Amino acid sequence: MLRFFDMMYYHLATFYQRFHKKTSGWQLQASFIVSITQAMLILDLWMIIISIFDIQKKAGVYEKIIFCIIGLCLIFYNMKRYEKKYQYYKSIWGVYSGNQKKIQVFLTFFTAVFVWVFVFILGFVFNKYK
């Protein structure tokens, strides 16, 4: 799974590189998007577990604090993990071209968008938005 996030970081960093002159700007944005995607995946799993076991309670203060701590830890972990590693990932993921590269770019942006949409899908399917 970490390999997928490495690929995601590389393609996001390549995308954001066009808009920034300094390397720190696009590297931080790419690692931040990867971190938020990971946090949203954890939230999606939490919502699925709560819905499967039919727990009818709203998120309390402790759940919100724990989720925020997990999100911050993921951000700091990914900042350290991807710091100055763009050239390394370019040597791994930059060699692909054609359909393989298009599939990787599609999966990167699809995952980043789908984790947000999946929260709403779960909410409507399990009738959490009343």
Side-chain angles (χ1 to χ4, degrees), residues 30-66:
S31 64
F32 183 75
I33 296 294
V34 170
S35 301
I36 295 301
T37 302
Q38 291 171 343
M40 291 304 292
L41 283 172
I42 292 171
L43 178 66
D44 291 340
L45 290 174
W46 181 68
M47 286 180 68
I48 289 172
I49 290 170
I50 283 180
S51 299
I52 288 175
F53 292 119
D54 200 28
I55 299 172
Q56 296 294 331
K57 77 169 206 154
K58 294 188 178 191
V61 174
Y62 296 117
E63 287 92 357
K64 292 176 185 176
I65 291 172
I66 289 172

PDB file of all heavy atoms in Angstrom, residues 30-66:
ATOM      1  N   ALA A  30       2.279  18.071  -2.361  1.00  0.00           N
ATOM      2  CA  ALA A  30       2.080  16.675  -2.737  1.00  0.00           C
ATOM      3  C   ALA A  30       2.032  15.775  -1.504  1.00  0.00           C
ATOM      4  O   ALA A  30       1.155  14.902  -1.396  1.00  0.00           O
ATOM      5  CB  ALA A  30       3.179  16.223  -3.679  1.00  0.00           C
ATOM      6  N   SER A  31       2.929  15.986  -0.548  1.00  0.00           N
ATOM      7  CA  SER A  31       2.903  15.149   0.660  1.00  0.00           C
ATOM      8  C   SER A  31       1.671  15.454   1.509  1.00  0.00           C
ATOM      9  O   SER A  31       1.124  14.552   2.149  1.00  0.00           O
ATOM     10  CB  SER A  31       4.179  15.339   1.472  1.00  0.00           C
ATOM     11  OG  SER A  31       4.287  16.654   1.955  1.00  0.00           O
ATOM     12  N   PHE A  32       1.189  16.693   1.486  1.00  0.00           N
ATOM     13  CA  PHE A  32      -0.025  17.035   2.226  1.00  0.00           C
ATOM     14  C   PHE A  32      -1.242  16.337   1.619  1.00  0.00           C
ATOM     15  O   PHE A  32      -2.078  15.798   2.350  1.00  0.00           O
ATOM     16  CB  PHE A  32      -0.223  18.552   2.234  1.00  0.00           C
ATOM     17  CG  PHE A  32      -1.413  18.999   3.028  1.00  0.00           C
ATOM     18  CD1 PHE A  32      -1.380  18.988   4.406  1.00  0.00           C
ATOM     19  CD2 PHE A  32      -2.564  19.429   2.386  1.00  0.00           C
ATOM     20  CE1 PHE A  32      -2.477  19.396   5.142  1.00  0.00           C
ATOM     21  CE2 PHE A  32      -3.664  19.840   3.102  1.00  0.00           C
ATOM     22  CZ  PHE A  32      -3.627  19.819   4.502  1.00  0.00           C
ATOM     23  N   ILE A  33      -1.352  16.315   0.298  1.00  0.00           N
ATOM     24  CA  ILE A  33      -2.481  15.652  -0.360  1.00  0.00           C
ATOM     25  C   ILE A  33      -2.446  14.153  -0.078  1.00  0.00           C
ATOM     26  O   ILE A  33      -3.480  13.532   0.182  1.00  0.00           O
ATOM     27  CB  ILE A  33      -2.468  15.920  -1.884  1.00  0.00           C
ATOM     28  CG1 ILE A  33      -2.654  17.400  -2.166  1.00  0.00           C
ATOM     29  CG2 ILE A  33      -3.522  15.096  -2.601  1.00  0.00           C
ATOM     30  CD1 ILE A  33      -3.999  17.952  -1.778  1.00  0.00           C
ATOM     31  N   VAL A  34      -1.267  13.550  -0.096  1.00  0.00           N
ATOM     32  CA  VAL A  34      -1.150  12.128   0.225  1.00  0.00           C
ATOM     33  C   VAL A  34      -1.582  11.878   1.669  1.00  0.00           C
ATOM     34  O   VAL A  34      -2.301  10.918   1.957  1.00  0.00           O
ATOM     35  CB  VAL A  34       0.292  11.628  -0.034  1.00  0.00           C
ATOM     36  CG1 VAL A  34       0.499  10.230   0.519  1.00  0.00           C
ATOM     37  CG2 VAL A  34       0.601  11.657  -1.509  1.00  0.00           C
ATOM     38  N   SER A  35      -1.191  12.751   2.581  1.00  0.00           N
ATOM     39  CA  SER A  35      -1.564  12.596   3.988  1.00  0.00           C
ATOM     40  C   SER A  35      -3.066  12.733   4.197  1.00  0.00           C
ATOM     41  O   SER A  35      -3.672  11.950   4.932  1.00  0.00           O
ATOM     42  CB  SER A  35      -0.848  13.640   4.847  1.00  0.00           C
ATOM     43  OG  SER A  35       0.532  13.528   4.723  1.00  0.00           O
ATOM     44  N   ILE A  36      -3.666  13.702   3.556  1.00  0.00           N
ATOM     45  CA  ILE A  36      -5.109  13.896   3.682  1.00  0.00           C
ATOM     46  C   ILE A  36      -5.853  12.706   3.080  1.00  0.00           C
ATOM     47  O   ILE A  36      -6.868  12.256   3.627  1.00  0.00           O
ATOM     48  CB  ILE A  36      -5.535  15.223   3.028  1.00  0.00           C
ATOM     49  CG1 ILE A  36      -4.922  16.400   3.781  1.00  0.00           C
ATOM     50  CG2 ILE A  36      -7.043  15.356   2.954  1.00  0.00           C
ATOM     51  CD1 ILE A  36      -5.302  16.486   5.238  1.00  0.00           C
ATOM     52  N   THR A  37      -5.352  12.177   1.985  1.00  0.00           N
ATOM     53  CA  THR A  37      -5.975  11.003   1.376  1.00  0.00           C
ATOM     54  C   THR A  37      -5.895   9.809   2.319  1.00  0.00           C
ATOM     55  O   THR A  37      -6.877   9.070   2.482  1.00  0.00           O
ATOM     56  CB  THR A  37      -5.288  10.667   0.036  1.00  0.00           C
ATOM     57  OG1 THR A  37      -5.374  11.809  -0.817  1.00  0.00           O
ATOM     58  CG2 THR A  37      -5.936   9.476  -0.632  1.00  0.00           C
ATOM     59  N   GLN A  38      -4.767   9.621   2.971  1.00  0.00           N
ATOM     60  CA  GLN A  38      -4.633   8.529   3.931  1.00  0.00           C
ATOM     61  C   GLN A  38      -5.576   8.723   5.110  1.00  0.00           C
ATOM     62  O   GLN A  38      -6.212   7.773   5.582  1.00  0.00           O
ATOM     63  CB  GLN A  38      -3.193   8.430   4.413  1.00  0.00           C
ATOM     64  CG  GLN A  38      -2.238   7.951   3.364  1.00  0.00           C
ATOM     65  CD  GLN A  38      -0.795   8.068   3.787  1.00  0.00           C
ATOM     66  OE1 GLN A  38      -0.448   8.788   4.732  1.00  0.00           O
ATOM     67  NE2 GLN A  38       0.078   7.365   3.085  1.00  0.00           N
ATOM     68  N   ALA A  39      -5.686   9.948   5.606  1.00  0.00           N
ATOM     69  CA  ALA A  39      -6.588  10.222   6.730  1.00  0.00           C
ATOM     70  C   ALA A  39      -8.042   9.990   6.327  1.00  0.00           C
ATOM     71  O   ALA A  39      -8.829   9.449   7.116  1.00  0.00           O
ATOM     72  CB  ALA A  39      -6.390  11.656   7.219  1.00  0.00           C
ATOM     73  N   MET A  40      -8.390  10.367   5.118  1.00  0.00           N
ATOM     74  CA  MET A  40      -9.769  10.150   4.660  1.00  0.00           C
ATOM     75  C   MET A  40     -10.058   8.666   4.456  1.00  0.00           C
ATOM     76  O   MET A  40     -11.177   8.216   4.685  1.00  0.00           O
ATOM     77  CB  MET A  40     -10.035  10.932   3.374  1.00  0.00           C
ATOM     78  CG  MET A  40     -10.078  12.433   3.574  1.00  0.00           C
ATOM     79  SD  MET A  40     -11.266  12.982   4.802  1.00  0.00           S
ATOM     80  CE  MET A  40     -12.789  12.576   3.993  1.00  0.00           C
ATOM     81  N   LEU A  41      -9.075   7.890   4.047  1.00  0.00           N
ATOM     82  CA  LEU A  41      -9.258   6.445   3.959  1.00  0.00           C
ATOM     83  C   LEU A  41      -9.525   5.840   5.328  1.00  0.00           C
ATOM     84  O   LEU A  41     -10.366   4.946   5.472  1.00  0.00           O
ATOM     85  CB  LEU A  41      -8.042   5.780   3.309  1.00  0.00           C
ATOM     86  CG  LEU A  41      -7.935   5.899   1.803  1.00  0.00           C
ATOM     87  CD1 LEU A  41      -6.591   5.377   1.324  1.00  0.00           C
ATOM     88  CD2 LEU A  41      -9.064   5.144   1.131  1.00  0.00           C
ATOM     89  N   ILE A  42      -8.824   6.328   6.340  1.00  0.00           N
ATOM     90  CA  ILE A  42      -9.064   5.862   7.708  1.00  0.00           C
ATOM     91  C   ILE A  42     -10.467   6.255   8.152  1.00  0.00           C
ATOM     92  O   ILE A  42     -11.179   5.458   8.775  1.00  0.00           O
ATOM     93  CB  ILE A  42      -7.982   6.414   8.664  1.00  0.00           C
ATOM     94  CG1 ILE A  42      -6.635   5.781   8.332  1.00  0.00           C
ATOM     95  CG2 ILE A  42      -8.355   6.162  10.117  1.00  0.00           C
ATOM     96  CD1 ILE A  42      -5.467   6.399   9.048  1.00  0.00           C
ATOM     97  N   LEU A  43     -10.890   7.463   7.833  1.00  0.00           N
ATOM     98  CA  LEU A  43     -12.250   7.894   8.161  1.00  0.00           C
ATOM     99  C   LEU A  43     -13.286   7.034   7.445  1.00  0.00           C
ATOM    100  O   LEU A  43     -14.303   6.657   8.039  1.00  0.00           O
ATOM    101  CB  LEU A  43     -12.451   9.363   7.798  1.00  0.00           C
ATOM    102  CG  LEU A  43     -13.856   9.927   8.037  1.00  0.00           C
ATOM    103  CD1 LEU A  43     -14.164   9.957   9.525  1.00  0.00           C
ATOM    104  CD2 LEU A  43     -13.993  11.299   7.430  1.00  0.00           C
ATOM    105  N   ASP A  44     -13.042   6.708   6.184  1.00  0.00           N
ATOM    106  CA  ASP A  44     -13.962   5.844   5.443  1.00  0.00           C
ATOM    107  C   ASP A  44     -14.079   4.471   6.097  1.00  0.00           C
ATOM    108  O   ASP A  44     -15.183   3.932   6.244  1.00  0.00           O
ATOM    109  CB  ASP A  44     -13.515   5.689   3.994  1.00  0.00           C
ATOM    110  CG  ASP A  44     -13.667   6.964   3.187  1.00  0.00           C
ATOM    111  OD1 ASP A  44     -14.449   7.844   3.617  1.00  0.00           O
ATOM    112  OD2 ASP A  44     -13.013   7.070   2.139  1.00  0.00           O
ATOM    113  N   LEU A  45     -12.942   3.901   6.483  1.00  0.00           N
ATOM    114  CA  LEU A  45     -12.976   2.603   7.165  1.00  0.00           C
ATOM    115  C   LEU A  45     -13.727   2.687   8.489  1.00  0.00           C
ATOM    116  O   LEU A  45     -14.479   1.777   8.851  1.00  0.00           O
ATOM    117  CB  LEU A  45     -11.559   2.089   7.386  1.00  0.00           C
ATOM    118  CG  LEU A  45     -10.806   1.657   6.137  1.00  0.00           C
ATOM    119  CD1 LEU A  45      -9.365   1.315   6.481  1.00  0.00           C
ATOM    120  CD2 LEU A  45     -11.496   0.475   5.485  1.00  0.00           C
ATOM    121  N   TRP A  46     -13.528   3.778   9.217  1.00  0.00           N
ATOM    122  CA  TRP A  46     -14.230   3.972  10.486  1.00  0.00           C
ATOM    123  C   TRP A  46     -15.739   4.057  10.261  1.00  0.00           C
ATOM    124  O   TRP A  46     -16.515   3.455  11.002  1.00  0.00           O
ATOM    125  CB  TRP A  46     -13.697   5.233  11.164  1.00  0.00           C
ATOM    126  CG  TRP A  46     -14.310   5.536  12.484  1.00  0.00           C
ATOM    127  CD1 TRP A  46     -14.175   4.829  13.646  1.00  0.00           C
ATOM    128  CD2 TRP A  46     -15.171   6.629  12.784  1.00  0.00           C
ATOM    129  NE1 TRP A  46     -14.886   5.437  14.645  1.00  0.00           N
ATOM    130  CE2 TRP A  46     -15.508   6.537  14.144  1.00  0.00           C
ATOM    131  CE3 TRP A  46     -15.675   7.677  12.045  1.00  0.00           C
ATOM    132  CZ2 TRP A  46     -16.337   7.458  14.762  1.00  0.00           C
ATOM    133  CZ3 TRP A  46     -16.495   8.591  12.668  1.00  0.00           C
ATOM    134  CH2 TRP A  46     -16.822   8.474  14.003  1.00  0.00           C
ATOM    135  N   MET A  47     -16.138   4.770   9.213  1.00  0.00           N
ATOM    136  CA  MET A  47     -17.571   4.879   8.916  1.00  0.00           C
ATOM    137  C   MET A  47     -18.157   3.536   8.495  1.00  0.00           C
ATOM    138  O   MET A  47     -19.294   3.214   8.845  1.00  0.00           O
ATOM    139  CB  MET A  47     -17.803   5.922   7.815  1.00  0.00           C
ATOM    140  CG  MET A  47     -17.634   7.351   8.281  1.00  0.00           C
ATOM    141  SD  MET A  47     -17.910   8.541   6.967  1.00  0.00           S
ATOM    142  CE  MET A  47     -19.654   8.345   6.676  1.00  0.00           C
ATOM    143  N   ILE A  48     -17.405   2.745   7.753  1.00  0.00           N
ATOM    144  CA  ILE A  48     -17.892   1.424   7.349  1.00  0.00           C
ATOM    145  C   ILE A  48     -18.066   0.523   8.561  1.00  0.00           C
ATOM    146  O   ILE A  48     -19.086  -0.168   8.698  1.00  0.00           O
ATOM    147  CB  ILE A  48     -16.927   0.789   6.320  1.00  0.00           C
ATOM    148  CG1 ILE A  48     -17.034   1.518   4.981  1.00  0.00           C
ATOM    149  CG2 ILE A  48     -17.221  -0.698   6.142  1.00  0.00           C
ATOM    150  CD1 ILE A  48     -16.002   1.090   3.974  1.00  0.00           C
ATOM    151  N   ILE A  49     -17.094   0.516   9.466  1.00  0.00           N
ATOM    152  CA  ILE A  49     -17.181  -0.325  10.661  1.00  0.00           C
ATOM    153  C   ILE A  49     -18.358   0.086  11.527  1.00  0.00           C
ATOM    154  O   ILE A  49     -19.114  -0.761  12.010  1.00  0.00           O
ATOM    155  CB  ILE A  49     -15.853  -0.270  11.455  1.00  0.00           C
ATOM    156  CG1 ILE A  49     -14.762  -0.986  10.670  1.00  0.00           C
ATOM    157  CG2 ILE A  49     -16.009  -0.870  12.844  1.00  0.00           C
ATOM    158  CD1 ILE A  49     -13.376  -0.809  11.214  1.00  0.00           C
ATOM    159  N   ILE A  50     -18.552   1.384  11.725  1.00  0.00           N
ATOM    160  CA  ILE A  50     -19.675   1.854  12.523  1.00  0.00           C
ATOM    161  C   ILE A  50     -21.003   1.483  11.865  1.00  0.00           C
ATOM    162  O   ILE A  50     -21.952   1.095  12.536  1.00  0.00           O
ATOM    163  CB  ILE A  50     -19.566   3.380  12.745  1.00  0.00           C
ATOM    164  CG1 ILE A  50     -18.533   3.648  13.814  1.00  0.00           C
ATOM    165  CG2 ILE A  50     -20.894   3.980  13.159  1.00  0.00           C
ATOM    166  CD1 ILE A  50     -18.333   5.093  14.120  1.00  0.00           C
ATOM    167  N   SER A  51     -21.062   1.567  10.549  1.00  0.00           N
ATOM    168  CA  SER A  51     -22.302   1.255   9.846  1.00  0.00           C
ATOM    169  C   SER A  51     -22.590  -0.241   9.840  1.00  0.00           C
ATOM    170  O   SER A  51     -23.739  -0.657   9.943  1.00  0.00           O
ATOM    171  CB  SER A  51     -22.242   1.775   8.415  1.00  0.00           C
ATOM    172  OG  SER A  51     -22.079   3.169   8.426  1.00  0.00           O
ATOM    173  N   ILE A  52     -21.567  -1.066   9.709  1.00  0.00           N
ATOM    174  CA  ILE A  52     -21.770  -2.520   9.696  1.00  0.00           C
ATOM    175  C   ILE A  52     -22.259  -3.001  11.051  1.00  0.00           C
ATOM    176  O   ILE A  52     -23.169  -3.831  11.137  1.00  0.00           O
ATOM    177  CB  ILE A  52     -20.482  -3.242   9.267  1.00  0.00           C
ATOM    178  CG1 ILE A  52     -20.243  -3.022   7.779  1.00  0.00           C
ATOM    179  CG2 ILE A  52     -20.548  -4.727   9.588  1.00  0.00           C
ATOM    180  CD1 ILE A  52     -18.939  -3.583   7.274  1.00  0.00           C
ATOM    181  N   PHE A  53     -21.652  -2.511  12.113  1.00  0.00           N
ATOM    182  CA  PHE A  53     -22.050  -2.941  13.450  1.00  0.00           C
ATOM    183  C   PHE A  53     -23.263  -2.181  13.973  1.00  0.00           C
ATOM    184  O   PHE A  53     -23.664  -2.377  15.116  1.00  0.00           O
ATOM    185  CB  PHE A  53     -20.881  -2.819  14.431  1.00  0.00           C
ATOM    186  CG  PHE A  53     -19.783  -3.803  14.143  1.00  0.00           C
ATOM    187  CD1 PHE A  53     -18.511  -3.361  13.831  1.00  0.00           C
ATOM    188  CD2 PHE A  53     -20.027  -5.162  14.163  1.00  0.00           C
ATOM    189  CE1 PHE A  53     -17.499  -4.255  13.568  1.00  0.00           C
ATOM    190  CE2 PHE A  53     -19.017  -6.074  13.902  1.00  0.00           C
ATOM    191  CZ  PHE A  53     -17.746  -5.621  13.602  1.00  0.00           C
ATOM    192  N   ASP A  54     -23.826  -1.311  13.138  1.00  0.00           N
ATOM    193  CA  ASP A  54     -25.060  -0.583  13.434  1.00  0.00           C
ATOM    194  C   ASP A  54     -24.974   0.179  14.754  1.00  0.00           C
ATOM    195  O   ASP A  54     -25.843   0.085  15.617  1.00  0.00           O
ATOM    196  CB  ASP A  54     -26.253  -1.534  13.448  1.00  0.00           C
ATOM    197  CG  ASP A  54     -27.559  -0.782  13.264  1.00  0.00           C
ATOM    198  OD1 ASP A  54     -27.536   0.287  12.621  1.00  0.00           O
ATOM    199  OD2 ASP A  54     -28.597  -1.252  13.768  1.00  0.00           O
ATOM    200  N   ILE A  55     -23.898   0.929  14.903  1.00  0.00           N
ATOM    201  CA  ILE A  55     -23.721   1.771  16.084  1.00  0.00           C
ATOM    202  C   ILE A  55     -24.401   3.096  15.795  1.00  0.00           C
ATOM    203  O   ILE A  55     -24.035   3.812  14.864  1.00  0.00           O
ATOM    204  CB  ILE A  55     -22.224   1.979  16.398  1.00  0.00           C
ATOM    205  CG1 ILE A  55     -21.578   0.628  16.687  1.00  0.00           C
ATOM    206  CG2 ILE A  55     -22.043   2.942  17.555  1.00  0.00           C
ATOM    207  CD1 ILE A  55     -20.066   0.694  16.809  1.00  0.00           C
ATOM    208  N   GLN A  56     -25.391   3.444  16.563  1.00  0.00           N
ATOM    209  CA  GLN A  56     -26.206   4.638  16.319  1.00  0.00           C
ATOM    210  C   GLN A  56     -25.798   5.778  17.246  1.00  0.00           C
ATOM    211  O   GLN A  56     -26.584   6.253  18.046  1.00  0.00           O
ATOM    212  CB  GLN A  56     -27.688   4.309  16.513  1.00  0.00           C
ATOM    213  CG  GLN A  56     -28.231   3.303  15.549  1.00  0.00           C
ATOM    214  CD  GLN A  56     -28.249   3.815  14.126  1.00  0.00           C
ATOM    215  OE1 GLN A  56     -28.367   5.008  13.877  1.00  0.00           O
ATOM    216  NE2 GLN A  56     -28.107   2.905  13.176  1.00  0.00           N
ATOM    217  N   LYS A  57     -24.574   6.195  17.162  1.00  0.00           N
ATOM    218  CA  LYS A  57     -24.145   7.340  17.956  1.00  0.00           C
ATOM    219  C   LYS A  57     -23.348   8.292  17.084  1.00  0.00           C
ATOM    220  O   LYS A  57     -22.755   7.895  16.097  1.00  0.00           O
ATOM    221  CB  LYS A  57     -23.334   6.907  19.165  1.00  0.00           C
ATOM    222  CG  LYS A  57     -21.915   6.503  18.888  1.00  0.00           C
ATOM    223  CD  LYS A  57     -21.150   6.361  20.163  1.00  0.00           C
ATOM    224  CE  LYS A  57     -19.686   6.594  19.866  1.00  0.00           C
ATOM    225  NZ  LYS A  57     -18.932   7.042  20.941  1.00  0.00           N
ATOM    226  N   LYS A  58     -23.355   9.517  17.481  1.00  0.00           N
ATOM    227  CA  LYS A  58     -22.564  10.504  16.748  1.00  0.00           C
ATOM    228  C   LYS A  58     -21.146  10.491  17.290  1.00  0.00           C
ATOM    229  O   LYS A  58     -20.881  10.039  18.396  1.00  0.00           O
ATOM    230  CB  LYS A  58     -23.184  11.885  16.919  1.00  0.00           C
ATOM    231  CG  LYS A  58     -24.530  11.998  16.269  1.00  0.00           C
ATOM    232  CD  LYS A  58     -25.026  13.405  16.293  1.00  0.00           C
ATOM    233  CE  LYS A  58     -26.363  13.439  15.562  1.00  0.00           C
ATOM    234  NZ  LYS A  58     -26.790  14.795  15.315  1.00  0.00           N
ATOM    235  N   ALA A  59     -20.242  11.005  16.482  1.00  0.00           N
ATOM    236  CA  ALA A  59     -18.839  11.053  16.895  1.00  0.00           C
ATOM    237  C   ALA A  59     -18.694  12.004  18.077  1.00  0.00           C
ATOM    238  O   ALA A  59     -19.126  13.149  18.033  1.00  0.00           O
ATOM    239  CB  ALA A  59     -17.965  11.509  15.739  1.00  0.00           C
ATOM    240  N   GLY A  60     -18.095  11.502  19.131  1.00  0.00           N
ATOM    241  CA  GLY A  60     -17.882  12.302  20.317  1.00  0.00           C
ATOM    242  C   GLY A  60     -16.612  13.117  20.226  1.00  0.00           C
ATOM    243  O   GLY A  60     -15.889  13.099  19.222  1.00  0.00           O
ATOM    244  N   VAL A  61     -16.341  13.820  21.289  1.00  0.00           N
ATOM    245  CA  VAL A  61     -15.160  14.676  21.341  1.00  0.00           C
ATOM    246  C   VAL A  61     -13.888  13.839  21.254  1.00  0.00           C
ATOM    247  O   VAL A  61     -12.938  14.205  20.545  1.00  0.00           O
ATOM    248  CB  VAL A  61     -15.169  15.508  22.643  1.00  0.00           C
ATOM    249  CG1 VAL A  61     -13.892  16.298  22.797  1.00  0.00           C
ATOM    250  CG2 VAL A  61     -16.374  16.414  22.678  1.00  0.00           C
ATOM    251  N   TYR A  62     -13.866  12.691  21.918  1.00  0.00           N
ATOM    252  CA  TYR A  62     -12.659  11.867  21.916  1.00  0.00           C
ATOM    253  C   TYR A  62     -12.356  11.297  20.533  1.00  0.00           C
ATOM    254  O   TYR A  62     -11.199  11.250  20.124  1.00  0.00           O
ATOM    255  CB  TYR A  62     -12.784  10.735  22.941  1.00  0.00           C
ATOM    256  CG  TYR A  62     -12.888  11.245  24.354  1.00  0.00           C
ATOM    257  CD1 TYR A  62     -14.012  11.011  25.118  1.00  0.00           C
ATOM    258  CD2 TYR A  62     -11.844  11.986  24.908  1.00  0.00           C
ATOM    259  CE1 TYR A  62     -14.111  11.487  26.407  1.00  0.00           C
ATOM    260  CE2 TYR A  62     -11.926  12.471  26.205  1.00  0.00           C
ATOM    261  CZ  TYR A  62     -13.063  12.213  26.945  1.00  0.00           C
ATOM    262  OH  TYR A  62     -13.151  12.695  28.216  1.00  0.00           O
ATOM    263  N   GLU A  63     -13.396  10.885  19.812  1.00  0.00           N
ATOM    264  CA  GLU A  63     -13.178  10.374  18.457  1.00  0.00           C
ATOM    265  C   GLU A  63     -12.637  11.469  17.548  1.00  0.00           C
ATOM    266  O   GLU A  63     -11.755  11.221  16.721  1.00  0.00           O
ATOM    267  CB  GLU A  63     -14.472   9.804  17.863  1.00  0.00           C
ATOM    268  CG  GLU A  63     -14.902   8.495  18.457  1.00  0.00           C
ATOM    269  CD  GLU A  63     -15.847   8.658  19.625  1.00  0.00           C
ATOM    270  OE1 GLU A  63     -16.132   9.819  20.013  1.00  0.00           O
ATOM    271  OE2 GLU A  63     -16.303   7.640  20.165  1.00  0.00           O
ATOM    272  N   LYS A  64     -13.152  12.671  17.689  1.00  0.00           N
ATOM    273  CA  LYS A  64     -12.683  13.783  16.858  1.00  0.00           C
ATOM    274  C   LYS A  64     -11.238  14.140  17.182  1.00  0.00           C
ATOM    275  O   LYS A  64     -10.439  14.410  16.279  1.00  0.00           O
ATOM    276  CB  LYS A  64     -13.580  14.999  17.048  1.00  0.00           C
ATOM    277  CG  LYS A  64     -14.975  14.799  16.484  1.00  0.00           C
ATOM    278  CD  LYS A  64     -15.853  15.985  16.767  1.00  0.00           C
ATOM    279  CE  LYS A  64     -17.276  15.728  16.312  1.00  0.00           C
ATOM    280  NZ  LYS A  64     -18.178  16.832  16.662  1.00  0.00           N
ATOM    281  N   ILE A  65     -10.897  14.139  18.461  1.00  0.00           N
ATOM    282  CA  ILE A  65      -9.518  14.447  18.860  1.00  0.00           C
ATOM    283  C   ILE A  65      -8.565  13.376  18.351  1.00  0.00           C
ATOM    284  O   ILE A  65      -7.491  13.686  17.820  1.00  0.00           O
ATOM    285  CB  ILE A  65      -9.415  14.601  20.394  1.00  0.00           C
ATOM    286  CG1 ILE A  65     -10.140  15.870  20.840  1.00  0.00           C
ATOM    287  CG2 ILE A  65      -7.965  14.607  20.850  1.00  0.00           C
ATOM    288  CD1 ILE A  65     -10.258  16.027  22.337  1.00  0.00           C
ATOM    289  N   ILE A  66      -8.945  12.113  18.483  1.00  0.00           N
ATOM    290  CA  ILE A  66      -8.095  11.015  18.013  1.00  0.00           C
ATOM    291  C   ILE A  66      -7.913  11.094  16.504  1.00  0.00           C
ATOM    292  O   ILE A  66      -6.800  10.912  15.999  1.00  0.00           O
ATOM    293  CB  ILE A  66      -8.685   9.652  18.437  1.00  0.00           C
ATOM    294  CG1 ILE A  66      -8.517   9.478  19.945  1.00  0.00           C
ATOM    295  CG2 ILE A  66      -8.024   8.501  17.691  1.00  0.00           C
ATOM    296  CD1 ILE A  66      -9.213   8.272  20.519  1.00  0.00           C
TER     297      ILE A  66
END
